[in-house]
Amino acid sequence: LLAMGRAVLVGLLVAEGGLALYAPFFDSFYAMVGGIGVVNNFTTLRDYAIVYGVFLAVLLPLALGAIIRSWQLAVGSWQFKQRPLLIVGVISGLLILTAFMLPDVGLRLALAALLLGLAILFFQRRIGTPAWFTLLLVTTGVGVSLGMEIVYIRDHLAGGDWFRMNTVFKFGMQVWVVFALAAAAGLPLVLQGVKRLMARRIDPGVLQPAYGLVLVALVALAAIYPLVGTLSRVANRFPDAPAPTLNGLAFMRNATFDYNCDFGGCEPGQTNVLIDLRGDAAAIDWLNSNVRGTPVVLQSNLFFYRAYGIRVAANTGLPTVVSALHVNEQRDPFLASVRDQDVETLYRSSDREQTLRLLAKYKVNYVYVGGVERAVYNQAGLDKFAAMNGIYMDEIYNRDDVQIYRVRPLPAMYSAPERVAFAPDPPPALLNWQDDGQTEPLTRPRPGVRPDNQPADLTELEAAVAQEPTNGPLVFGLAERYRNLSRFDDAARVLAPAARANPSDIGLFHLWGDILTQAGRLDEAEQVYTTVARNNPSAGNWNKLGAALLTWGELDKAELALTQALALDGTAPEPYFHLGQLYQQRGDNDNAVKNLETYLQLAPEGQFSPDARELLQQLQP
């Protein structure tokens, strides 16, 4: 017990220490997964054996031998010690038969039976420490394998043919490593068992050589992959490949290749471009030797696997504006798409003012123009960087068609959010329909209420909306009645066609978004609020979106919406209050205090002034 207690304590210390070291990462990372799904197509015994067969040739005899030995000890008083062998043989035969007849469940049954047998072993005191640890590794691998056959983690692939690819890929690699370690540790135990079995039951000259031949044959089969795979990979090298070396960047010194524009990123009309990486090798060496810290480097975001767009970040460790490798799967796709588009604009646009705003937005310290950028972007977009040399940036590297510019501190005006040009504002009468303390004042009549202030019959109101499903006032009243009855899905159902038929009816859209929020349909609510803000840009509408996102914990999106509200009207008080809440949640107390104080200056008796003062007191050191 004492030893187990020490082991548990050490395990907890290691786990907590690891979490503490990764705390800054976890603070801003959230996995783009959607819960757990149930597997409906399964791995067959054959496919499982192909992946793990070499290890199973050692681990199955080890596990079955341990199980049989345990049973033999348990029934040692019996006169027929061979019975456990018979039982195991019958079970194995049934499982194999089941695998052929019902391949979908064969592997799961086999793993479950093996896991149960292994679990029983841990209640045996006769197992030595080496064998115990080896069997623990085997049990872990079997348990994880069984779990992969029952559930999968939902991600961006959910709903397609590859829905559990990442679950099998990620967890399967761990199973492979665990089985490999267990097989290495368990092989001596298996050989000892084979030797004992030979001495008791079988001609010593038969079993051990036969088992050895099986292992050699399996290892030889597994060795086919590195032999054939290496030849295949070498055949696909660059035409002018370097000599064998351990330097993983040596290929760049003489690498040129054709990029197929069907993969995207090229200028209109181009079908194929030549990408020359020879100058990039020396430039990356220079960055590694001369740049300190973690400044942000602007580079192409072109497809990593095909065009090697983010080669600078990949080979220096320096942060960049956006990575083209799985970023929209591991981060919010909306935010990733914004950054992707901004990088395209930075390299393709010849507008200097727009370029400076984007450089300030992402706090870019260095601009990189190399082989990929010259191949895919237009010359006018690249020339603007040279035109700004000596004014807003300085050229610090120019060799072999690669330029690196260091961005100077930019004027504060470029850091302020730029006003976004949307569709023209709707008539003022259409903007005066909300009064929730966060948007425009409400002067809308309440439909569904008779002149004598007595509620109209719900059935009558439903019949009226059925006759006129796009009548905004009627639908507004019916939706409110449904909401009062907690019939949120019914309210959303009638609002959808009416809102789409009345795109300028902001009140209808906001009610739709509020009801979707109450129904827990947050993705749909976000789309509705965003549509209003984009089609009818005002500080109130962007603030409405930002406040909702903040409530849902979408801090990055909320910050974008609230800063856009202030870009439209820097005197609007409520975005400052919500930004104060946002920064307080992030732990950025300085910015939280600054925004809360600004809110109180603009609205000392505003709706949120008590909350703002309370937050300020909490933030005092």
Side-chain angles (χ1 to χ4, degrees):
L1 288 178
L2 183 60
M4 183 174 290
R6 285 199 300 265
V8 171
L9 179 60
V10 170
L12 289 175
L13 290 175
V14 171
E16 293 298 328
L19 289 173
L21 291 173
Y22 270 84
F25 171 79
F26 289 126
D27 183 57
S28 58
F29 174 77
Y30 61 96
M32 299 296 292
V33 297
I36 301 296
V38 178
V39 175
N40 55 23
N41 67 335
F42 313 102
T43 308
T44 63
L45 277 167
R46 174 182 174 276
D47 291 337
Y48 192 81
I50 288 174
V51 177
Y52 302 112
V54 175
F55 307 135
L56 293 176
V58 176
L59 300 179
L60 284 179
L62 175 67
L64 293 176
I67 293 170
I68 292 169
R69 179 60 178 164
S70 176
W71 287 346
Q72 285 177 335
L73 293 172
V75 297
S77 60
W78 296 5
Q79 298 301 315
F80 36 89
K81 292 186 177 181
Q82 300 303 321
R83 178 167 291 188
L85 288 172
L86 179 61
I87 295 173
V88 171
V90 171
I91 292 175
S92 300
L94 289 175
L95 288 174
I96 293 173
L97 181 62
T98 304
F100 280 109
M101 297 178 62
L102 301 171
D104 282 353
V105 298
L107 178 62
R108 290 197 292 173
L109 287 176
L111 291 173
L114 185 58
L115 185 63
L116 179 61
L118 288 167
I120 295 174
L121 293 178
F122 294 102
F123 295 95
Q124 303 295 323
R125 295 185 177 181
R126 297 178 180 88
I127 300 177
T129 301
W132 188 93
F133 181 70
T134 303
L135 291 171
L136 177 61
L137 290 176
V138 179
T139 305
T140 301
V142 172
V144 174
S145 296
L146 180 59
M148 290 190 300
E149 297 303 314
I150 299 174
V151 297
Y152 70 96
I153 298 175
R154 293 182 178 274
D155 57 15
H156 65 288
L157 297 175
D161 293 338
W162 305 93
F163 68 98
R164 70 178 185 130
M165 184 191 78
N166 280 319
T167 300
V168 174
F169 173 34
K170 301 299 190 300
F171 286 95
M173 285 196 302
Q174 309 307 317
V175 172
W176 202 93
V177 172
V178 169
F179 278 174
L181 293 172
L187 183 58
L189 298 173
V190 173
L191 293 177
Q192 291 174 12
V194 170
K195 186 176 181 180
R196 287 196 299 267
L197 189 60
M198 287 190 320
R200 295 178 182 177
R201 296 178 176 82
I202 302 177
D203 182 359
V206 176
L207 184 57
Q208 192 169 32
Y211 181 69
L213 284 174
V214 170
L215 286 181
V216 170
L218 288 174
V219 171
L221 287 172
I224 291 176
Y225 174 77
L227 293 175
V228 177
T230 301
L231 293 175
S232 176
R233 181 64 186 88
V234 169
N236 284 323
R237 300 182 79 185
F238 292 108
D240 188 11
T245 176
L246 294 177
N247 181 4
L249 300 183
F251 77 96
M252 293 181 67
R253 301 190 185 283
N254 46 8
T256 60
F257 62 96
D258 289 326
Y259 174 71
N260 188 341
C261 292
D262 289 342
F263 292 108
C266 299
E267 288 292 306
Q270 290 184 317
T271 58
N272 197 73
V273 296
L274 180 68
I275 293 179
D276 188 344
L277 297 179
R278 290 175 294 183
D280 291 313
I284 287 172
D285 286 343
W286 186 88
L287 285 170
N288 282 325
S289 300
N290 294 277
V291 174
R292 299 291 179 267
T294 55
V296 178
V297 178
L298 172 67
Q299 64 184 328
S300 170
N301 63 333
L302 204 57
F303 193 33
F304 182 81
Y305 289 135
R306 300 287 179 177
Y308 207 28
I310 58 165
R311 65 225 180 272
V312 178
N315 295 306
T316 65
L318 297 174
T320 189
V321 175
V322 64
S323 165
L325 187 61
H326 305 306
V327 65
N328 61 341
E329 302 165 7
Q330 299 169 350
R331 298 288 193 222
D332 190 304
F334 170 77
L335 297 177
S337 67
V338 170
R339 287 177 175 256
D340 275 327
Q341 185 56 51
D342 286 345
V343 169
E344 290 291 298
T345 301
L346 279 164
Y347 278 111
R348 297 189 190 279
S349 173
S350 57
D351 187 332
R352 294 190 194 180
E353 292 296 304
Q354 187 180 33
T355 299
L356 292 170
R357 285 191 175 277
L358 290 175
L359 292 174
K361 175 182 179 180
Y362 294 110
K363 299 179 174 60
V364 174
N365 302 104
Y366 294 94
V367 174
Y368 187 95
V369 180
V372 177
E373 290 77 19
R374 293 196 176 282
V376 299
Y377 299 123
N378 63 73
Q379 193 60 43
L382 301 180
D383 285 345
K384 72 175 178 296
F385 296 123
M388 290 190 287
N389 183 32
I391 305 172
Y392 294 109
M393 55 184 64
D394 299 298
E395 184 182 82
I396 58 174
Y397 182 94
N398 189 342
R399 191 184 310 161
D400 300 327
D401 285 333
V402 177
Q403 288 80 44
I404 302 176
Y405 301 92
R406 180 191 292 118
V407 180
R408 295 181 178 182
L410 298 177
M413 59 177 288
Y414 292 117
S415 299
E418 184 180 14
R419 289 178 64 92
V420 180
F422 292 98
D425 288 344
L430 296 176
L431 288 172
N432 295 327
W433 286 0
Q434 307 88 321
D435 187 16
D436 54 7
Q438 301 180 25
T439 51
E440 316 287 345
L442 172 68
T443 59
R444 182 188 192 89
R446 295 192 59 191
V449 177
R450 295 175 178 171
D452 58 0
N453 290 327
Q454 295 300 314
D457 181 78
L458 180 61
T459 304
E460 295 177 7
L461 194 52
E462 288 175 327
V465 169
Q467 292 293 322
E468 299 181 75
T470 61
N471 185 312
L474 279 175
V475 171
F476 191 98
L478 178 58
E480 280 197 325
R481 296 288 295 277
Y482 280 149
R483 179 164 68 169
N484 293 336
L485 296 171
S486 297
R487 294 171 59 181
F488 303 122
D489 289 332
D490 287 335
R493 174 178 53 78
V494 298
L495 281 166
R500 294 189 181 106
N502 298 274
S504 298
D505 190 334
I506 301 173
L508 205 61
F509 271 87
H510 277 174
L511 180 62
W512 188 17
D514 294 343
I515 286 173
L516 287 170
T517 300
Q518 289 180 277
R521 296 158 62 178
L522 303 186
D523 289 342
E524 297 172 71
E526 179 185 342
Q527 292 176 1
V528 171
Y529 291 142
T530 302
T531 299
V532 176
R534 286 177 173 170
N535 294 339
N536 304 279
S538 69
N541 289 337
W542 280 105
N543 177 72
K544 177 83 171 179
L545 170 62
L549 290 166
L550 179 62
T551 302
W552 306 336
E554 300 279 2
L555 302 188
D556 290 337
K557 290 183 182 179
E559 185 176 19
L560 285 174
L562 294 170
T563 52
Q564 183 58 47
L566 293 178
L568 293 165
D569 183 0
T571 63
E574 290 174 21
Y576 289 108
F577 171 74
H578 294 307
L579 281 171
Q581 291 179 306
L582 186 151
Y583 290 126
Q584 186 263 343
Q585 291 183 35
R586 282 183 176 170
D588 187 352
N589 292 349
D590 291 340
N591 274 324
V593 169
K594 177 181 176 182
N595 280 277
L596 291 171
E597 289 178 343
T598 303
Y599 169 76
L600 289 173
Q601 290 173 2
L602 294 171
E605 302 300 327
Q607 177 185 358
F608 301 107
S609 56
D611 295 326
R613 293 188 178 93
E614 182 178 350
L615 269 179
L616 282 172
Q617 289 180 354
Q618 295 176 8
L619 294 170
Q620 294 303 319

